[in-house]
């Protein structure tokens, strides 16, 4: 925490993002050098407070109550999702754009970060009350132990995706060890095999989008946001984690994550039918008994909605409400939410 001149606000600078995308030579070294210099300055100015730089990738234990980032904005940690959330913006410039981040991303993109001193903790707003959604029924102990069909990827109760191995076990990119189906079900069941959209579900999701005309893309995006709202507070993980579980690391899922945390999309007068949200909610949760297949959202929906977007015409789709909240760029439709949801339309070429 500096007592001299504050660092220049950098939330709008794309250096860390560009480095992640591979432009190392141009951006990486200057960005890291600046972060490291600021970290040393903070340690000198406030030796009573711990400061973490961009290479401090391991989350500290114990976890601080709050941390101040490079702009002196305050972040707090959500214990359920293990992600850090922006809670107080000193400059008013980051609140609408900063998405929840794991520790390693926080220190790289918003660092250095410093344990917030008592005088700044007083600035934090009251803790956000966890939304009380309609709770899912308790898991049946018999269904919890039910084993999935062999050779099928599964999603567990914590929304971790597991892939079958040749030896009949399950492995996950997020967990180092492998498990037998029986052991995994006992620890994190019920295990739900990944499935595909059913015909009735396809109709429930495509007909409202096709009927929305130029507002089709807006209705599709808002249906996903309304599903995220319904999921909030009723799962052991945050709604982004749950909605991306089918293929966490895909670029389509990354765009879905951006949509989940963004401001609500204005559908320009076209309401989202409850039936759309019901289907998406069931795809994620597995229904009341949590045993229905988990249906991957990001890629399946891009495929599912493509014919409707083609019939309306990509150039006829309304983009302005998405652009207003930072989810689209009318000059380049390969960016943001359009770059994802329109990626399966006829003749559309996305540039990653």
């Amino acid at each position: 925490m500096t007592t001299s001149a504050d660092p220049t606000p950098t939330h709008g600078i794309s250096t860390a993002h560009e480095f992640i995308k591979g432009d190392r030579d141009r951006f990486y070294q200057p960005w890291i050098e600046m972060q490291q210099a600021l970290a040393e300055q903070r340690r000198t100015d406030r030796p009573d407070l711990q400061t973490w730089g961009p290479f401090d990738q391991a989350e500290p234990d114990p976890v601080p109550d709050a941390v101040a980032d490079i702009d002196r904005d305050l972040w707090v940690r959500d214990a359920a999702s293990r992600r850090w959330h922006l809670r107080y913006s000193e400059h008013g410039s980051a609140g609408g754009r900063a998405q929840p981040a794991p520790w390693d991303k926080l220190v790289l993109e918003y660092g250095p970060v410093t344990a917030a001193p008592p005088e700044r903790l007083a600035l934090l707003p009251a803790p956000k009350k966890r939304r009380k959604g309609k709770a899912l029924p308790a898991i049946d102990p018999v269904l919890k132990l039910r084993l999935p069909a062999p050779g099928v990827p599964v999603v567990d109760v914590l929304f971790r995706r597991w892939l079958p191995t040749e030896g009949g076990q399950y492995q996950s990119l997020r967990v180092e060890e492998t498990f037998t189906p029986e052991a995994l079900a006992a620890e994190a069941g019920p295990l739900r095999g990944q499935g595909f959209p059913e015909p009735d579900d396809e109709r429930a999701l495509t007909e409202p989008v096709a009927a929305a005309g130029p507002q089709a893309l807006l209705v599709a995006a808002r249906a996903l946001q309304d599903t995220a709202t319904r999921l909030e507070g009723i799962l052991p993980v945050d709604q982004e984690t749950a909605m991306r579980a089918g293929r966490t690391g895909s670029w389509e899922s990354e765009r879905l994550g951006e949509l989940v945390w963004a401001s609500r999309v204005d559908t320009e007068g076209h309401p989202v039918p409850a039936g759309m949200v019901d289907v998406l909610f069931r795809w994620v949760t597995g229904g009341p008994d949590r045993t229905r297949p988990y249906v991957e959202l990001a890629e399946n929906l891009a495929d599912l909605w493509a014919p409707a977007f083609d019939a309306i015409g990509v150039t006829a789709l309304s983009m302005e409400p998405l652009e207003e909240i930072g989810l689209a760029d009318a000059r380049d439709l390969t960016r943001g939410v359009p770059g994802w949801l329109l990626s399966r339309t006829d003749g559309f070429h996305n540039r990653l």
Side-chain angles (χ1 to χ4, degrees):
M1 184 74 62
T2 61
T3 54
S4 55
D6 288 335
T8 302
T10 57
H11 279 296
I13 297 176
S14 63
T15 48
H17 297 281
E18 294 292 344
F19 161 59
I20 291 170
K21 291 181 180 179
D23 200 350
R24 179 188 178 101
D25 293 339
R26 183 178 179 188
F27 292 108
Y28 176 56
Q29 193 64 33
W31 174 257
I32 293 298
E33 288 177 355
M34 180 188 72
Q35 288 181 306
Q36 291 288 72
L38 288 174
E40 290 305 317
Q41 181 182 349
R42 285 191 175 189
R43 292 178 181 123
T44 300
D45 291 342
R46 291 298 300 261
D48 56 317
L49 299 174
Q50 190 167 1
T51 290
W52 296 269
F55 293 126
D56 297 315
Q57 294 286 289
E59 190 170 59
D61 184 15
V63 176
D65 293 329
V67 295
D69 68 11
I70 194 171
D71 287 345
R72 296 166 53 87
D73 299 336
L74 295 182
W75 296 69
V76 296
R77 183 178 183 268
D78 176 66
S81 65
R82 297 172 61 88
R83 293 181 181 222
W84 290 80
H85 295 245
L86 182 69
R87 295 291 288 136
Y88 175 82
S89 181
E90 176 90 355
H91 302 281
S93 61
R97 294 194 296 273
Q99 298 178 12
W103 176 265
D104 57 349
K105 184 176 180 181
L106 176 67
V107 295
L108 177 62
E109 298 194 22
Y110 300 99
V113 301
T114 301
E119 65 267 21
R120 298 218 68 224
L121 290 176
L123 298 174
L124 285 173
K128 182 181 177 181
K129 292 184 177 179
R130 196 165 174 84
R131 181 179 177 271
K132 294 182 179 179
K134 185 178 180 181
L136 295 170
I139 299 175
D140 186 308
V142 175
L143 294 177
K144 169 183 167 65
L145 299 176
R146 190 179 70 173
L147 300 181
V152 176
V154 299
V155 172
D156 69 16
V157 74
L158 297 177
F159 293 92
R160 299 172 299 185
R161 184 177 186 239
W162 297 82
L163 301 176
T165 68
E166 292 183 359
Q169 294 190 320
Y170 282 102
Q171 62 181 4
S172 171
L173 296 178
R174 296 167 57 185
V175 181
E176 292 183 1
E177 58 185 313
T178 59
F179 288 84
T180 65
E182 294 80 5
L184 184 58
E187 178 177 307
L191 304 180
R192 299 163 50 208
Q194 282 197 245
F196 299 95
E198 299 175 359
D200 287 346
D201 292 348
E202 293 184 3
R203 285 190 291 272
L205 292 171
T206 57
E207 290 178 358
V209 170
Q215 285 72 41
L217 186 60
L218 308 179
V219 170
R222 184 57 183 266
L224 285 160
Q225 289 186 323
D226 288 353
T227 303
T229 299
R230 187 171 169 187
L231 290 167
E232 184 181 356
I234 66 171
L235 300 174
V237 297
D238 64 81
Q239 54 269 41
E240 180 192 356
T241 298
M243 295 175 73
R244 291 180 58 173
R247 268 196 72 198
T248 305
S250 71
W251 70 267
E252 294 96 336
S253 287
E254 183 177 347
R255 303 281 177 92
L256 170 59
E258 295 171 359
L259 176 62
V260 165
W261 297 110
S263 300
R264 301 299 90 175
V265 174
D266 177 9
T267 60
E268 298 182 334
H270 285 263
V272 174
M276 292 185 72
V277 179
D278 289 342
V279 170
L280 297 174
F281 184 82
R282 174 166 43 78
W283 283 10
V284 175
T285 63
D289 58 7
R290 258 70 59 84
T291 59
R292 298 284 293 274
Y294 184 97
V295 181
E296 187 273 340
L297 296 181
E299 293 181 65
N300 276 313
L301 290 175
D303 283 330
L304 202 59
W305 285 328
F309 295 145
D310 278 328
I312 297 164
V314 168
T315 58
L317 294 171
S318 176
M319 303 283 179
E320 185 174 349
L322 291 171
E323 196 168 18
E324 289 174 351
I325 57 176
L327 294 178
D329 182 349
R331 297 166 300 179
D332 185 356
L333 295 185
T334 66
R335 297 181 181 272
V337 167
W340 153 44
L341 287 180
L342 300 179
S343 62
R344 269 55 166 189
T345 55
D346 186 32
F348 190 89
H349 297 288
N350 200 333
R351 183 181 71 252
L352 299 180

